[in-house]
């Protein structure tokens, strides 16, 4: 399977500076599209992204929804831009409270933003609701970066019976971007619909980045080790889940053949 692939990214080059994750966010969707798959890509609209330079514009028909987090209504704004050389569009999840600031996830002193858990919740729900509005049913949803890691829980617990997502499989890429800790109330903030704290016991116990990644892995159908220095304990935990895993291969990353490996992994699920 895997004719329609939804990429949910924390970073995409050139909207953010080149990095391992941002480069994969840029070149993997293009490569998969060149292998005759339909793709859609999403990322947060961080305040450091120059909208004029990158020609972002709001998609009115997709915007206008409100997402309630911590009893506060947050307007969901959807923007889009094109990477013309790759012939792909990128959708941006935006909200003034969460994504206007110029930094990605840490302030100028390097301190992790206290509301990063809320931002992850908003991003995940924003992506899923926008895909519903697009009426585009993905076969594979590939989550890359810590800010995407609440999405697998939502898909499997809230959206699994929605016709748009009923056949969707989750692929989770793990990197060495795992935050140390979130606010202790992350599990309470993440509760939505029928989700209870029993659905995310690791986050109830301790709201760390490792426990968020483990929770995402629990609700994934396939796991890719996306970089060389992923936490060893996290990798061992994932091996114990009896979920298909694709190990990291530095050579295939360097020469671009990882795209074929990822494509074959999608088709195997």
């Amino acid at each position: 399977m895997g004719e329609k692939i939804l990429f949910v990214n924390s970073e995409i080059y050139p909207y953010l500076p080149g990095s391992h994750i941002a480069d994969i966010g840029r070149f993997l969707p293009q490569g998969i599209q060149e292998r005759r798959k339909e793709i859609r890509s999403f990322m947060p609209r961080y305040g450091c992204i120059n909208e004029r330079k990158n020609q972002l514009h709001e998609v009115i028909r997709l915007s206008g929804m409100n997402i309630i987090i911590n009893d506060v209504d947050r307007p969901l704004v959807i923007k889009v831009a094109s990477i013309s050389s790759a012939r792909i569009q990128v959708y941006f999840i935006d909200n003034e409270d969460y994504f206007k600031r110029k930094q990605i996830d840490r302030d100028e002193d390097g301190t992790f933003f206290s509301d990063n858990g809320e931002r992850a919740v908003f991003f995940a729900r924003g992506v899923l609701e926008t895909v519903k509005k697009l009426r585009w049913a993905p076969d594979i949803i590939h989550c890359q970066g810590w800010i995407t890691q609440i999405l697998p829980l939502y898909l499997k617990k809230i959206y699994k019976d929605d016709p748009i997502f009923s056949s969707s499989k989750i692929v989770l890429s793990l990197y060495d971007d795992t935050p140390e800790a979130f606010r202790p109330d992350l599990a309470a903030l993440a509760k939505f619909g029928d989700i209870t704290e029993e659905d995310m016991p690791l986050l109830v116990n301790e709201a760390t980045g490792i426990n968020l990644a483990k929770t995402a892995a629990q609700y994934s159908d396939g796991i890719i080790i996306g970089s060389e220095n992923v936490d060893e304990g996290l990798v061992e935990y994932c091996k114990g889940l009896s979920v298909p895993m694709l190990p990291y291969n530095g050579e295939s990353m360097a020469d671009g053949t990882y795209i074929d490996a990822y494509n074959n992994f999608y088709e195997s699920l």
Side-chain angles (χ1 to χ4, degrees):
M1 66 172 294
E3 294 305 310
K4 294 182 178 179
I5 317 295
L6 171 64
F7 293 97
V8 188
N9 309 275
S10 60
E11 304 174 31
I12 299 174
Y13 176 83
Y15 305 109
L16 293 179
S19 68
H20 182 62
I21 298 178
D23 290 349
I24 292 173
R26 161 64 178 83
F27 294 106
L28 176 61
Q30 178 183 351
I32 294 300
Q33 181 169 258
E34 290 170 351
R35 285 153 181 79
R36 301 176 182 250
K37 303 288 199 296
E38 279 189 60
I39 66 105
R40 298 285 188 277
S41 278
F42 280 77
M43 72 171 287
R45 205 293 292 180
Y46 302 110
C48 57
I49 296 172
N50 187 313
E51 293 200 13
R52 179 175 294 180
K53 175 184 174 183
N54 292 292
Q55 298 184 326
L56 272 67
H57 62 272
E58 184 176 350
V59 186
I60 302 298
R61 69 183 178 88
L62 297 176
S63 300
M65 209 177 337
N66 277 7
I67 292 176
I68 300 173
I69 299 176
N70 208 16
D71 296 325
V72 178
D73 275 9
R74 309 281 186 183
L76 172 63
V77 176
I78 308 300
K79 295 174 180 174
V80 70
S82 296
I83 302 177
S84 57
S85 60
R87 293 186 296 173
I88 60 176
Q89 283 189 323
V90 177
Y91 292 89
F92 295 84
I93 299 294
D94 199 3
N95 171 270
E96 184 143 322
D97 294 329
Y98 290 139
F99 296 115
K100 185 178 181 180
R101 65 199 73 164
K102 296 296 184 184
Q103 300 84 5
I104 294 174
D105 58 13
R106 297 176 185 273
D107 66 19
E108 293 174 350
D109 297 324
T111 303
F112 198 60
F113 291 131
S114 63
D115 66 347
N116 272 335
E118 289 182 49
R119 298 168 88 213
V121 168
F122 185 89
F123 180 59
R125 288 177 57 186
V127 168
L128 291 167
E129 289 297 332
T130 303
V131 173
K132 279 181 63 176
K133 276 194 171 185
L134 286 169
R135 299 184 181 276
W136 189 78
D139 297 304
I140 300 290
I141 302 176
H142 190 167
C143 295
Q144 305 196 84
W146 71 261
I147 202 168
T148 74
Q149 290 176 352
I150 290 177
L151 191 149
L153 166 68
Y154 287 163
L155 181 78
K156 297 296 185 180
K157 288 294 181 179
I158 300 295
Y159 291 87
K160 65 181 182 349
D161 295 324
D162 189 292
I164 294 293
F165 298 109
S166 58
S167 298
S168 300
K169 301 284 189 180
I170 287 276
V171 172
L172 174 70
S173 275
L174 295 173
Y175 297 96
D176 55 0
D177 66 331
T178 307
E180 289 184 12
F182 297 91
R183 280 197 335 233
D185 63 348
L186 177 59
L189 291 169
K191 285 195 294 187
F192 163 54
D194 296 330
I195 290 176
T196 69
E197 292 186 348
E198 293 178 356
D199 296 316
M200 40 184 166
L202 293 172
L203 290 178
V204 173
N205 181 54
E206 191 175 11
T208 63
I210 291 292
N211 281 346
L212 175 60
K214 288 179 177 179
T215 299
Q218 288 174 348
Y219 291 102
S220 295
D221 300 290
I223 297 169
I224 295 173
I225 305 304
S227 59
E228 188 173 8
N229 298 314
V230 177
D231 181 87
E232 291 182 8
L234 175 57
V235 174
E236 289 304 311
Y237 176 85
C238 292
K239 288 179 179 177
L241 293 175
S242 299
V243 171
M245 285 183 67
L246 187 65
Y248 177 72
N249 184 321
E251 288 184 8
S252 71
M253 279 291 170
D255 63 20
T257 56
Y258 77 93
I259 294 174
D260 284 316
Y262 283 26
N263 187 50
N264 292 336
F265 190 66
Y266 299 152
E267 292 181 346
S268 73
L269 298 177

